[in-house]
Amino acid sequence: MLSFIDGRQMLSRRGQATVEAAFLIPVLLLLILLLCQPAILLYNQIVMQNAAAESCRLLATRSDVGSYSDQKYEAYTLRRLAAIPPVDVFHAHGNGMDWQIDLVGGELSQTVSVRIQNHLKPLPIIAWGAGVLRQTDQNGYLTQSVEVTMPSQPDWVFKLGGDPQTWVKQWD
């Protein structure tokens, strides 16, 4: 009779794993979905930061001599930003939501600066939370921006002033 009771107990626990899985799988999928948005934001931040830093290095060589226009420097930055897919979750494109790039400075200025701004559509659950916290604009988009500022020349160039021939004389 003891084995019969054990057998009955085994029969009553057979569906337990199925019921647990029915509750656990949606929770796990929700957690994965919640972790996707921070990963997307971090990826965007890294790509935008690197694009701005590389553009600053290029801006440090910008001069009034030559045929290089601001559009060429902006195109250089846009090529670096092409690593971010044109999907609304990563970068909203069209409808005036393209990249906003501000380039400031050149080889004669003390510092050069690049500011990049991006708009993206958050994932549904995050969009609801961001909307409640008023982190989105009127269209429901998040704004992500990066600014990098660096010196255009080493300090000693500005201390000595003049032209390269003056710089060379300091080592004579």
Side-chain angles (χ1 to χ4, degrees), residues 44-128:
N44 283 355
Q45 186 80 16
I46 290 169
V47 171
M48 290 167 58
Q49 188 81 26
N50 288 334
E54 288 181 31
S55 297
C56 275
R57 287 187 214 100
L58 183 65
L59 272 180
T61 65
R62 178 166 70 175
S63 69
D64 297 334
V65 179
S67 63
Y68 291 103
S69 64
D70 288 343
Q71 288 81 17
K72 288 188 179 184
Y73 291 99
E74 191 172 320
Y76 177 85
T77 307
L78 287 172
R79 279 195 303 274
R80 299 300 173 266
L81 293 171
I84 296 177
V87 179
D88 283 349
V89 177
F90 285 90
H91 166 66
H93 53 287
N95 296 334
M97 295 279 190
D98 287 333
W99 297 104
Q100 294 174 354
I101 301 170
D102 298 322
L103 307 168
V104 179
E107 71 177 356
L108 299 177
S109 58
Q110 291 262 341
T111 60
V112 290
S113 177
V114 175
R115 185 175 177 276
I116 302 172
Q117 190 172 21
N118 179 27
H119 299 280
L120 60 115
K121 189 80 167 171
L123 295 172
I125 294 172
I126 304 294
W128 177 81

Side-chain angles (χ1 to χ4, degrees), residues 121-143:
K121 189 80 167 171
L123 295 172
I125 294 172
I126 304 294
W128 177 81
V132 168
L133 296 174
R134 299 179 189 231
Q135 297 295 313
T136 58
D137 62 7
Q138 66 272 12
N139 298 326
Y141 287 93
L142 289 174
T143 301

Side-chain angles (χ1 to χ4, degrees), residues 28-41 123 126:
L28 288 175
L29 290 175
L30 182 65
L31 286 175
I32 290 171
L33 181 66
L34 288 175
L35 291 176
C36 284
Q37 189 71 54
I40 290 169
L41 291 173
L123 295 172
I126 304 294

